[in-house]
Amino acid sequence: MTDKETPVSALPADRPAFGRGPADGSGTAGLQVGLSEMLSALSHALDMTEGQPVGHTLRTCMIGMRLADELHITAAEREALYYALLLKDAGCSSNAARMAMLFGSPDQDVKYRMKLVDWHKSVRLAVHTMRTVGRGEPIWTRAAHFLRIARTPDMTRELIAIRCDRGAEIVRQIGFPEYTAAAVRSLDEHWNGQGYPDGLMGDAIPLLSRIALLAQTLEIYSHAQGMPAALDMAAARRGTWFDPQLVDRVTAWRRDLAWWHSLQVPDIADRVVASEPTNTPLSVDDAGLDRIAEAFAEIIDAKSPFTFRHSTNVARYARAVAEVTGCDVVEARRIYRAGLLHDIGKLGISNRILDKNGPLTPDERLEIERHPVYSQEILQRVEAFNDFATPAVLHHEKLDGSGYPWRRSGDTLDSAARILAVVDIYEALTADRPYRAGMPSHRALQIIHEE
C-alpha cells in the first residue's frame, strides 16, 4: 500500500449489518446462519450467470485471500476483500440481456469468452469478437452483429458500468459497508487507466479491486489453460491490467504446485468458509436472511427486461395468500422466501431463450423447463434454505401431473408449492411487459380458476 491510498482503518467505521458469534444458534435466540457459508453457496448462481465453471468464485476468493495474507493488509481490509470476492459478480445479470442482443450469442458464452482476451490489443479483440458473435448463425448474420458492435460507441464501458454499478448497489443492499461496495464497483479498472467504468489509474484504483481483478483473471486462465499460462498472462499484463507489485507476488507462486492443486478439491466451499478472516464469524438472523434473499431476487429479475420485479411480486403475493389461508407467521415467511428465489435457476438460462420474441424450438423449451433443476442445484447448497427449497422448485408442477420438470401430481405437492404455482401464473399474467400491458386481475383470475 502506498502513502496515496486510504487504509480501511481511516474510513468511517461502518460495519456490515450482521451479527457476530456462533452460527448454530447456540447462545442466541432464533435463526443464526453463517454468512460466509450462505454466500459461498450462492456464489454458484453467480458462476452460472457469468458462464464460469462451478467453483470459479470460490477459487478466486482463495487466490485473493492468499494475496491479502502476503500483503499484510489490515484485518478490516481482509474482511472487506473476502466478502467483495464472494459478491464480485452480484451485478452480472444486469447486462446479460444487452450483451446477448448485441453479440447474438448466449450471454453466458459471451461473458466467458470475452474474459479470455486482452481488451487492450485491438486486433486480437476484433478477431476474438468476430469468433464470438452470432454463434451458430450464417456468416452474414455474424457479420451484422460484428458491425453493430463496432458502431456502438462506448459499448464496453456501458456494459461494464451497468454491471459494476448494480453489483455495488446489491452489496450495499445486503448490508456491507461502502468499502466493500467500492471494491466490487472498481473490479474492472486497469492499472494503466484503460479499464472501466471510470478509467482510474494506478493507486487511484482501490487496493481491494486490484487484488480481486488479478485473482479473478488468474482463476479464469488457470482453469481454462493451466497455471503456467495463467502466470504468463499476468506477467504479460503487468503494468497494463495489473498492479506490478501484485503480479510480482503471484509469479513467485509458480513452484507451489501443491497450493494450486488445492484449489481444485471438491470441498473448496468448506475451505472458503473456514478461511473467513475473523475470529468471530459474521452470521445472519431471520431479517438478514430475508435481506439476502431479497437482494438475490433482484439479481434474478435483472436478468431479463421481461421479468422486472417478478420474483419480488411473486413473494409478496404468496405471503399474502398464505396469511389469508390461515398459515402462521413462520409458514408465511417460508413461502415468502421460496417466492423470492423460485426462479434463481433462470440465471443459468441464456437470454437468447428468455427474451426470444417468438415461439421456442423444442430444444429451447427443454432448456427453459430445466430452470427448476438449476434452482434445486443452487438452493440445496444452502442449508438454511432447506425448509423452502422444495416448494420453490416445484412452482411449475400441476395437480394433474402435466407440469414440469418432474411431472409431480397433486398428492405430492404441499400447500406452499400450490400457492407458488398459482401466484407465479397470476403475476406473469397481470404484470406489464415491454411487449404488452398486464392483464386485468379479473381476467387473470378467471384463467387460473379454469385451470
Side-chain angles (χ1 to χ4, degrees):
M1 181 182 296
T2 70
D3 293 337
K4 296 180 182 179
E5 295 177 57
T6 304
V8 171
S9 57
L11 295 171
D14 49 352
R15 306 294 291 163
F18 307 109
R20 291 187 181 275
D24 59 0
S26 59
T28 62
L31 176 75
Q32 290 290 316
V33 181
L35 182 61
S36 60
E37 177 187 354
M38 183 174 296
L39 295 183
S40 294
L42 285 172
S43 71
H44 180 56
L46 303 181
D47 290 345
M48 291 175 66
T49 316
E50 281 291 276
Q52 293 296 333
V54 174
H56 159 70
T57 296
L58 301 176
R59 292 187 291 271
T60 296
C61 186
M62 295 300 292
I63 295 170
M65 294 312 294
R66 177 170 177 176
L67 258 175
D69 290 341
E70 295 193 5
L71 293 171
H72 303 293
I73 63 178
T74 68
E77 286 175 310
R78 292 179 77 252
E79 186 174 293
L81 174 65
Y82 178 80
Y83 287 106
L85 288 166
L86 290 179
L87 289 167
K88 69 184 182 67
D89 292 323
C92 58
S93 65
S94 57
N95 65 9
R98 175 83 169 142
M99 190 168 283
M101 185 275 292
L102 283 169
F103 282 79
S105 294
D107 45 295
Q108 291 94 340
D109 185 53
V110 174
K111 287 170 177 278
Y112 177 80
R113 288 173 172 272
M114 296 309 291
K115 281 188 169 64
L116 290 170
V117 63
D118 187 343
W119 308 340
H120 303 327
K121 308 291 186 183
S122 57
V123 174
R124 291 183 185 176
L125 178 60
V127 172
H128 200 78
T129 301
M130 187 62 197
R131 291 173 176 171
T132 302
V133 297
R135 293 181 62 79
E137 299 291 337
I139 185 64
W140 53 86
T141 302
R142 303 186 69 181
H145 281 291
F146 181 82
L147 290 174
R148 180 186 301 161
I149 290 171
R151 293 169 180 169
T152 302
D154 294 326
M155 182 204 72
T156 303
R157 183 183 300 278
E158 173 200 347
L159 290 172
I160 292 178
I162 292 170
R163 164 203 163 96
C164 292
D165 288 341
R166 190 66 192 121
E169 183 55 36
I170 290 290
V171 169
R172 295 186 194 102
Q173 180 180 339
I174 291 175
F176 287 98
E178 185 57 35
Y179 200 68
T180 309
V184 172
R185 188 178 185 280
S186 296
L187 175 66
D188 287 302
E189 299 287 359
H190 293 176
W191 184 256
N192 63 1
Q194 296 182 29
Y196 305 102
D198 300 317
L200 301 178
M201 179 182 292
D203 292 338
I205 305 170
L207 174 62
L208 306 192
S209 300
R210 284 179 259 153
I211 294 173
L213 173 65
L214 178 55
Q216 167 182 271
T217 316
L218 277 172
E219 196 290 321
I220 290 169
Y221 273 80
S222 177
H223 196 275
Q225 301 177 11
M227 177 269 288
L231 293 179
D232 290 345
M233 173 278 302
R237 300 183 190 181
R238 181 183 186 276
T240 54
W241 279 50
F242 308 125
D243 181 336
Q245 294 183 27
L246 300 185
V247 172
D248 293 344
R249 290 277 182 177
V250 300
T251 53
W253 304 350
R254 188 178 292 269
R255 295 184 179 180
D256 195 352
L257 299 181
W259 183 82
W260 286 103
H261 289 317
S262 73
L263 298 179
Q264 308 303 323
V265 296
D267 65 344
I268 185 68
D270 294 335
R271 292 187 59 213
V272 168
V273 172
S275 69
E276 185 178 9
T278 174
N279 292 327
T280 312
L282 292 175
S283 60
V284 295
D285 56 12
D286 275 311
L289 193 153
D290 287 344
R291 187 164 61 245
I292 291 172
E294 287 161 358
F296 270 81
E298 293 196 15
I299 294 172
I300 298 163
D301 291 347
K303 183 79 161 68
S304 170
F306 298 161
T307 56
F308 176 70
R309 296 191 64 78
H310 170 72
S311 298
T312 302
N313 286 338
V314 165
R316 289 173 49 243
Y317 296 159
R319 181 167 58 186
V321 172
E323 292 170 348
V324 167
T325 54
C327 294
D328 62 22
V329 173
V330 173
E331 179 64 7
R333 192 169 215 166
R334 170 180 178 253
I335 293 173
Y336 174 69
R337 291 168 178 167
L340 289 171
L341 298 177
H342 74 285
D343 268 346
I344 196 169
K346 283 190 175 179
L347 292 175
I349 306 294
S350 166
N351 279 73
R352 296 285 290 172
I353 298 176
L354 292 177
D355 302 339
K356 185 175 181 180
N357 184 17
L360 299 178
T361 67
D363 286 344
E364 290 169 341
R365 171 57 62 185
L366 285 174
E367 182 64 11
I368 281 286
E369 292 187 358
R370 282 193 60 78
H371 81 264
V373 178
Y374 299 150
S375 293
Q376 184 179 54
E377 291 176 5
I378 296 165
L379 296 178
Q380 70 184 5
R381 294 169 180 264
V382 187
E383 186 174 354
F385 292 171
N386 284 348
D387 71 327
F388 65 80
T390 298
V393 303
L394 295 178
H395 65 279
H396 283 298
E397 301 292 345
K398 296 184 178 181
L399 296 180
D400 63 0
S402 65
Y404 66 82
W406 295 287
R407 309 299 189 229
R408 298 275 289 268
S409 58
D411 57 349
T412 65
L413 302 175
D414 67 7
S415 61
R418 299 180 188 210
I419 289 172
L420 286 171
V422 170
V423 299
D424 180 63
I425 294 174
Y426 177 81
E427 202 287 331
L429 293 174
T430 58
D432 289 335
R433 294 288 186 258
Y435 54 89
R436 63 155 174 82
M439 186 180 295
S441 294
H442 70 274
R443 176 57 183 147
L445 291 172
Q446 180 183 357
I447 292 173
I448 293 171
H449 185 72
E450 291 170 354
E451 300 226 351

